[in-house]
Amino acid sequence: RRCNKPSMAARDVNDVWAEMQREQRSTKATDLSKLEWHRRPVKAPAKKLDASLHWMKDWSSSLNVPSNSELEASDPACLASLTMTEAPATLIDALEDIPTGTPETFLAYLQRDVNCLGEDNFGVRLLSLQKLERVLVQQVDGLSTDIIDAVAEALTKPLLKRMKDKSEKCRELSVKILTTLVENTSDLSSLLPYIFPTLVTRLGCQDLDGVAHLPEVMRPDPEQKPMEIARPVEESEEVRLVLARFVASLLARCNQGQIYSYIDEATGLLRAGAMDPFHEVKALACDSMISFCHNHTEMLLHFAEPLGRSLTSCLTHNHARIRIAALRALTAVLWCGVWKHNHEVVQMLMAWQDPNKVPVKAFYESVTSCNYMSTLTFDRHPAVRRFWYETLAYWLLRIPDKCDHEPYIFPYLLTGLCDENEEIALETFWLIEKCGELYEAEHEEDLRKTKQYGFDHGWTYEGRAFVPFPLQGLWAGGGLAGQLRRTAARGPDMMGTIAREEHRTRDVFDADGNCLGEEVLLPVRDYAWPELEGVAVYRNLPRPRLGSRCWVRTNARRYIKATFNDVVDFRDCTAVNAGRLLCMTLAYTEEGVTEWLQPMLAAIVKFYSGRAAAAGDSQVMRTFETVCKLLGSYLDPVSYWEQMKAALCPSSALHVDQRVASVRALSLCIEGSVAALLTVEHDPSLGMGRLKAVIPELIVAMHSSDLLLSPSDGSRKAMWSLLFSFLDPLQSHLSTAEVSRLLYVALALSSKPLPETAAELAGGGAWLDAPGFEQEEILDPENLQMALEILSACVGSAEEPGPQIQEECFLDSMDDGPCPECNTSTVAASEAVKRDPRVVHAKLFEHTFPEVMLRMQDEHALETFRSVICCSPLSVLTSPAHSEAVLDLLAEFCDASSSVPTRTSGQTLGVHLALRCARLVDGAPAGTGTEEVQLFMWRLFEVLGKAQLDASTEPKNLSYAVASTGLSLWRRFFTRPGVDVRTVLFPARGTGISKPMEWLAAGLADQELY
């Protein structure tokens, strides 16, 4: 039987199929991003009951807090009501004094505020931190140790989390609370694993150099590593300051074992503080580093170089107290790297670089290294410089491995002797004396024989000579410091000839009248080195003690050759600093500098002939003058004379500038030798001392030098300096021949150069510009007058009253006539001097005139001959013994074979001499014999006229300039008042033909002159 209704199975299938079709129509495109694999979120650990709330575990019911999603799904208003918008009232607010019976009770009262530290609202966190700060910081003195231990255990982690808070105030308060807990808790062992990593992260000192990811061979040199943190992780300076205090407290509480476990983190924290840009953090880090290095010296051996490098930014800080604190911290670091890494620190401070090692970076860009030692040496603040020199002395006195660093350190200590502050320079001197005392103690066996046998060097003249100490690079300290003699070296009294009272120890101060002078009181400073309190500073400076001299001499050879390179630097600052260091080295090495004499003199010659000396800086010039004088004082004169005598030789291969520079240096060396000789007291038999082997040869070299012929301004000045360097002090030891040569030198240096050649055209008008014969042809009259006075004293003319004028008689004669007390000889001498002032040096020229005239055989000697004529008394020139030589030499210069300038100058010189004779004849009293002078005048014009006639006979010798100049000079002479033309034109006895008249007649008859 057939049924019209579908079966149940069929109906079910149809329904399922229809439902599937409906679902297919409603299906949308699938998002492919949903097919990506995502890591499942890690399930957060369930919150557990705090350890401080264990006392609540026995409660009968538990509180199940629904999650935020459940609350939001059930009732959105419920979640908003649970969010904390303002700080709740806690038990700390309700009670003034929290019960401190047990740690659990105390923590129960704090737990609500501890829980509030995790709230999102800033005000809630801040208020809770302020409450905890009031209870745990301000009232910490009333808490017992067990309570503080429990609080530290419970609050360390929440507070460490707050160190990363967005609020600066919250971070600051959390660090303050942690600092108090660390300072007062009894055991830090359980807290250190959390504190050190957090501090390292917060201060950014995981890898301060930024090289942890590089292999060892690729890491840069220390000077190329960072010196300061540019952008700290913690941006707030106030928070970094409290972090630095936290680090200081933490490191002060840790024992040796704890520091050993976290040595990398601890040193990194200290380095980060020293490299911080905030000055207060730097100062606190330096103090912390000092304590840390002294407490853990043994385990910081391999950390000395990084710690020292982190202080470099402090050494160049703008604040003086930071630089001083850095020096103290650097000293503490040097105690840690003894015999291992200290040399790396010192080399880094002085920017030392291995010449065989060049960084790859230098091939592509500039690489700059800072010399921190030099920066501190020339620091702008006197207190920093003073402490810097004291620190250097402390290193040299106390650091065990100082012998490795002496060559690098002590040149900077020597530079302190030239500090612009006088008290600092004086203190540096006595600091070096303290180092010398230590050297004597350490090398007692080496110095024993020198002390016992009384050995001393030749410049001391058996301990009697004395060279003042050149403080600040000036001779005798520029007069700012007094000088003090030490007892001379003396060997043992084997024969017992010396009284017991006269036995003295070497290098002690004289007990009779010499004393150290006024003591300079040093400023009282809390940062000064206690080990140097016994150093007393006085103004009177003695010769450096034996230990100081040997100590400097031992180390000078390591740097002195490099100093010679800076001496010739064109920059004034470099030249003066190198000169000062060289000056101080000479003051201590004394005669030991002979080892480097040749390169030293070469450097000095380069200086005086280079741009540094041409600049004319007074400070630089005074420094190098002191250097040369010290060389002369300490060295054997033969040593430097052999090196520089070639400058005076005509055949020298040196350039003129180098020769002048050598003469200049030689004169200063002679001054130094003379100064040392003059300090010897009560020994006239000493004579010239060690200069006896040099001065005679020097005078001969000066007399024959070509620098006297047409000297330039520089050579004239140098030769004058060389002449006066020994003339006055040694005048009593000069012979007559030496005086004659020196007179020639003085006359040659005072001579004027010849005029330029006049135009040789008939219409050139040269006769209008004829040289004047009325003026003296003398240069440097002051120097010449001084030289003549000294040389006159050498031959005894100064002791004879004949040619001298008494000042009282001369002044009285201006108004009242001659003084009635003056005798006839004095009046006669005064009248003679009025007619010819050169009479005062008559005896000098009488003794030396023949020797002077021997050098006048060269055409170039005309300049000197003019000086001789202008300076010699007429009584010497017109005397029968010398007049013939004068006229012959004048005729030689006026001869037609000479050059035009020489002939012109000869004519001028002859007329000038005739004018002097005419004045003498005109002013002579009646009855005075002047026939000899008148005859000399006639012979003068005979020489001049004959020279003009001889030149006119040969066309090749004719010169319009010479002829016109002669006519002009004669005309001006003939028209002078008091000149008798008959005396010079006509023979004295009326016989023979007058050469002057013959030339005048020939000239007037010559049509070419019209």
Side-chain angles (χ1 to χ4, degrees):
R1 190 178 57 180
R2 205 175 167 132
C3 182
N4 294 329
K5 290 185 178 181
S7 62
M8 182 64 68
R11 189 169 54 250
D12 293 341
V13 172
N14 292 335
D15 294 341
V16 172
W17 178 253
E19 185 178 357
M20 291 177 64
Q21 287 181 340
R22 287 194 301 271
E23 291 178 356
Q24 187 176 4
R25 296 190 194 101
S26 61
T27 301
K28 297 181 181 180
T30 303
D31 187 4
L32 295 179
S33 63
K34 294 182 179 180
L35 301 178
E36 295 180 3
W37 179 82
H38 296 279
R39 177 178 294 181
R40 294 181 179 179
V42 180
K43 185 177 180 180
K47 294 185 178 180
K48 298 180 180 180
L49 193 65
D50 191 84
S52 62
L53 300 180
H54 283 175
W55 54 280
M56 292 191 247
K57 65 183 179 180
D58 296 332
W59 288 6
S60 59
S61 61
S62 60
L63 180 63
N64 296 326
V65 180
S67 62
N68 292 342
S69 59
E70 295 176 354
L71 290 173
E72 186 177 3
S74 60
D75 188 2
C78 179
L79 179 63
S81 63
L82 292 177
T83 303
M84 190 176 296
T85 58
E86 61 181 11
T90 61
L91 295 177
I92 298 179
D93 298 326
L95 298 175
E96 286 290 337
D97 297 328
I98 299 177
T100 58
T102 61
E104 291 78 8
T105 305
F106 186 80
L107 285 173
Y109 283 92
L110 302 182
Q111 189 61 45
R112 180 58 175 161
D113 291 281
V114 175
N115 295 337
C116 291
L117 296 180
E119 294 295 333
D120 295 335
N121 188 275
F122 156 68
V124 175
R125 300 194 307 272
L126 178 60
L127 186 58
S128 296
L129 285 171
Q130 290 175 346
K131 295 176 185 178
L132 293 174
E133 192 261 345
R134 175 170 59 85
V135 174
L136 300 177
V137 177
Q138 299 179 11
Q139 302 177 5
V140 68
D141 295 337
L143 302 178
S144 61
T145 304
D146 55 344
I147 292 179
I148 294 177
D149 291 343
V151 171
E153 185 72 24
L155 268 67
T156 297
K157 294 180 182 178
L159 291 175
L160 288 176
K161 292 180 180 179
R162 288 306 97 210
M163 289 175 60
K164 301 180 181 179
D165 198 284
K166 296 180 180 180
S167 170
E168 176 183 332
K169 191 64 178 177
C170 291
R171 298 196 302 271
E172 182 179 357
L173 288 175
S174 63
V175 175
K176 287 183 178 180
I177 297 173
L178 282 171
T179 303
T180 303
L181 294 178
V182 168
E183 289 176 349
N184 294 276
T185 187
S186 61
D187 186 15
L188 291 174
S189 300
S190 59
L191 307 179
L192 295 181
Y194 305 99
I195 294 178
F196 271 113
T198 306
L199 286 175
V200 169
T201 303
R202 197 61 196 161
L203 292 177
C205 54
Q206 302 94 330
D207 183 19
L208 288 172
D209 298 332
V211 297
H213 62 287
L214 297 175
E216 189 69 27
V217 295
M218 295 182 62
R219 294 181 181 180
D221 294 333
E223 61 270 11
Q224 300 179 19
K225 295 180 181 179
M227 305 298 178
E228 190 171 76
I229 300 176
R231 298 181 60 184
V233 176
E234 175 57 64
E235 298 180 354
S236 172
E237 293 181 347
E238 290 77 7
V239 177
R240 295 204 305 273
L241 181 58
V242 295
L243 281 173
R245 293 170 181 164
F246 181 32
V247 171
S249 302
L250 177 65
L251 297 180
R253 287 298 314 279
C254 293
N255 55 35
Q256 293 282 349
Q258 294 167 346
I259 290 295
Y260 182 79
S261 302
Y262 298 96
I263 185 66
D264 291 317
E265 290 83 354
T267 55
L269 293 174
L270 291 174
R271 293 176 59 202
M275 298 169 66
D276 193 277
F278 186 37
H279 65 277
E280 293 291 344
V281 176
K282 285 181 177 291
L284 189 55
C286 290
D287 294 338
S288 303
M289 192 177 296
I290 293 172
S291 302
F292 186 75
C293 291
H294 285 309
N295 294 332
H296 311 285
T297 303
E298 292 78 8
M299 66 177 64
L300 294 176
L301 177 64
H302 299 286
F303 295 91
E305 190 273 331
L307 289 174
R309 178 160 36 85
S310 65
L311 294 169
T312 53
S313 61
C314 301
L315 295 175
T316 56
H317 198 270
N318 289 332
H319 293 181
R321 69 183 186 92
I322 301 298
R323 300 196 293 273
I324 293 175
L327 285 175
R328 291 184 57 84
L330 185 62
T331 303
V333 169
L334 290 179
W335 280 101
C336 300
V338 174
W339 302 114
K340 186 68 175 180
H341 295 286
N342 277 356
H343 71 283
E344 299 176 1
V345 178
V346 174
Q347 290 176 358
M348 176 193 61
L349 291 176
M350 62 176 300
W352 183 87
Q353 183 178 358
D354 188 352
N356 299 319
K357 182 180 179 182
V358 180
V360 178
K361 180 181 179 182
F363 290 96
Y364 304 99
E365 59 185 68
S366 59
V367 177
T368 304
S369 299
C370 178
N371 189 338
Y372 299 97
M373 287 189 175
S374 178
T375 303
L376 292 169
T377 301
F378 301 102
D379 194 276
R380 61 184 178 275
H381 202 289
V384 177
R385 297 199 305 273
R386 183 191 296 273
F387 187 70
W388 165 239
Y389 297 130
E390 292 175 350
T391 303
L392 291 178
Y394 178 85
W395 293 352
L396 295 171
L397 290 171
R398 302 281 299 181
I399 299 298
D401 59 343
K402 63 180 182 298
C403 58
D404 291 344
H405 317 309
E406 285 180 355
Y408 304 101
I409 293 176
F410 99 98
Y412 297 97
L413 186 59
L414 284 181
T415 307
L417 294 167
C418 298
D419 193 273
E420 61 183 12
N421 188 304
E422 179 192 353
E423 293 186 359
I424 297 178
L426 290 171
E427 182 182 0
T428 305
F429 176 86
W430 294 104
L431 288 173
I432 296 178
E433 289 293 280
K434 190 73 173 179
C435 296
E437 183 179 353
L438 178 63
Y439 184 90
E440 292 180 9
E442 294 177 347
H443 299 79
E444 188 274 337
E445 186 176 353
D446 299 335
L447 303 178
R448 185 183 304 165
K449 293 182 179 180
T450 302
K451 289 184 175 181
Q452 290 180 350
Y453 289 98
F455 172 76
D456 216 333
H457 297 277
W459 71 268
T460 62
Y461 295 100
E462 299 178 356
R464 295 175 294 172
F466 174 74
V467 176
F469 189 82
L471 191 69
Q472 296 181 322
L474 303 176
W475 181 257
L480 300 176
Q483 305 299 328
L484 178 65
R485 288 179 180 264
R486 292 185 185 267
T487 55
R490 180 181 294 177
D493 183 20
M494 300 294 186
M495 305 303 296
T497 58
I498 303 176
R500 182 179 180 84
E501 294 77 10
E502 297 181 6
H503 283 272
R504 296 180 181 178
T505 307
R506 178 193 181 117
D507 283 351
V508 299
F509 306 117
D510 294 342
D512 298 334
N514 296 329
C515 61
L516 294 173
E518 176 188 0
E519 182 178 359
V520 179
L521 299 179
L522 301 180
V524 179
R525 299 153 296 166
D526 55 350
Y527 56 82
W529 301 110
E531 292 79 3
L532 300 180
E533 291 181 355
V535 178
V537 180
Y538 300 94
R539 292 196 175 275
N540 290 347
L541 302 182
R543 178 189 179 189
R545 64 185 305 144
L546 179 62
S548 301
R549 302 197 303 269
C550 295
W551 178 60
V552 175
R553 186 181 306 170
T554 302
N555 296 282
R557 59 175 49 89
R558 305 194 182 186
Y559 71 88
I560 192 169
K561 289 187 177 180
T563 308
F564 299 152
N565 298 329
D566 293 336
V567 164
V568 297
D569 197 292
F570 66 93
R571 292 167 294 187
D572 291 342
C573 59
T574 306
V576 69
N577 292 331
R580 285 175 170 176
L581 180 58
L582 190 59
C583 180
M584 294 301 106
T585 304
L586 288 174
Y588 282 92
T589 56
E590 296 181 348
E591 77 295 331
V593 78
T594 309
E595 180 180 350
W596 311 287
L597 178 59
Q598 194 276 333
M600 182 178 296
L601 291 178
I604 292 175
V605 171
K606 286 183 180 179
F607 166 79
Y608 277 115
S609 60
R611 288 182 290 178
D617 185 83
S618 59
Q619 193 176 28
V620 178
M621 300 306 296
R622 286 186 299 172
T623 299
F624 280 92
E625 287 175 3
T626 305
V627 169
C628 295
K629 293 177 71 174
L630 288 175
L631 276 175
S633 300
Y634 296 128
L635 296 180
D636 189 349
V638 178
S639 301
Y640 60 77
W641 167 242
E642 291 294 333
Q643 296 286 336
M644 291 188 287
K645 68 179 182 180
L648 296 173
C649 182
S651 59
S652 175
L654 298 175
H655 192 267
V656 176
D657 294 340
Q658 295 176 329
R659 296 179 63 187
V660 173
S662 299
V663 172
R664 193 172 182 179
L666 177 60
S667 64
L668 293 171
C669 290
I670 295 292
E671 286 185 24
S673 299
V674 172
L677 176 63
L678 295 179
T679 59
V680 180
E681 301 175 351
H682 312 298
D683 190 1
S685 62
L686 193 59
M688 295 186 183
R690 300 199 300 172
L691 287 169
K692 185 177 181 180
V694 172
I695 294 300
E697 188 176 353
L698 171 63
I699 294 175
V700 173
M702 292 176 64
H703 181 260
S704 59
S705 176
D706 59 331
L707 294 178
L708 300 178
L709 306 177
S710 301
S712 62
D713 293 339
S715 61
R716 179 180 284 108
K717 183 178 180 181
M719 292 295 286
W720 275 122
S721 300
L722 181 58
L723 177 63
F724 287 120
S725 64
F726 64 90
L727 181 59
D728 189 18
L730 304 180
Q731 57 176 306
S732 59
H733 308 290
L734 299 175
S735 63
T736 304
E738 293 170 347
V739 171
S740 303
R741 295 187 179 95
L742 293 177
L743 176 61
Y744 172 82
V745 171
L747 294 174
L749 293 176
S750 61
S751 60
K752 282 186 177 181
L754 296 178
E756 297 181 359
T757 305
E760 287 293 331
L761 300 177
W767 64 276
L768 296 175
D769 300 326
F773 60 89
E774 295 88 352
Q775 294 82 15
E776 301 285 350
E777 297 293 323
I778 296 297
L779 291 177
D780 298 332
E782 297 82 4
N783 290 335
L784 178 61
Q785 181 63 26
M786 186 186 307
L788 291 178
E789 291 177 357
I790 298 174
L791 293 173
S792 297
C794 293
V795 297
S797 60
E799 289 79 3
E800 297 185 7
Q804 300 296 324
I805 308 174
Q806 296 183 8
E807 185 178 359
E808 295 81 359
C809 300
F810 180 73
L811 295 175
D812 291 341
S813 63
M814 294 175 64
D815 299 322
D816 305 326
C819 178
E821 288 81 5
C822 297
N823 54 26
T824 306
S825 61
T826 304
V827 175
S830 301
E831 294 297 331
V833 172
K834 290 180 181 179
R835 294 195 305 270
D836 189 0
R838 302 163 184 81
V839 172
V840 294
H841 307 301
K843 190 169 184 179
L844 169 65
F845 282 90
E846 287 176 2
H847 284 78
T848 61
F849 198 82
E851 184 71 24
V852 172
M853 295 298 293
L854 288 177
R855 183 75 197 278
M856 304 295 179
Q857 304 301 326
D858 190 356
E859 181 179 345
H860 296 287
L862 175 60
E863 301 173 6
T864 307
F865 183 63
R866 286 191 305 176
S867 298
V868 173
I869 297 301
C870 294
C871 298
S872 300
L874 284 177
S875 59
V876 176
L877 295 175
T878 60
S879 64
H882 307 305
S883 59
E884 196 68 32
V886 173
L887 294 174
D888 291 345
L889 194 55
L890 181 62
E892 183 178 347
F893 289 133
C894 296
D895 189 74
S897 61
S898 300
S899 62
V900 172
T902 302
R903 292 160 60 187
T904 304
S905 299
Q907 292 285 336
T908 305
L909 183 60
V911 177
H912 169 77
L913 186 55
L915 179 61
R916 285 182 56 192
C917 295
R919 288 174 178 171
L920 181 64
V921 173
D922 182 60
T928 304
T930 58
E931 296 79 5
E932 194 174 274
V933 178
Q934 293 177 0
L935 178 61
F936 184 78
M937 291 172 60
W938 174 76
R939 295 183 63 186
L940 268 176
F941 271 87
E942 282 287 315
V943 170
L944 299 179
K946 184 178 183 302
Q948 294 283 15
L949 282 174
D950 293 342
S952 61
T953 56
E954 293 290 339
K956 64 178 182 179
N957 296 331
L958 283 174
S959 173
Y960 176 78
V962 176
S964 59
T965 298
L967 287 174
S968 176
L969 292 172
W970 288 25
R971 179 185 63 82
R972 290 157 63 185
F973 175 77
F974 291 157
T975 58
R976 295 282 298 181
V979 174
D980 188 358
V981 181
R982 295 172 300 177
T983 306
V984 297
L985 291 182
F986 302 104
R989 297 179 177 83
T991 59
I993 301 175
S994 175
K995 295 293 183 182
M997 284 298 299
E998 184 178 354
W999 177 69
L1000 288 175
L1004 294 174
D1006 194 346
Q1007 297 180 1
E1008 293 183 1
L1009 293 178
Y1010 296 101

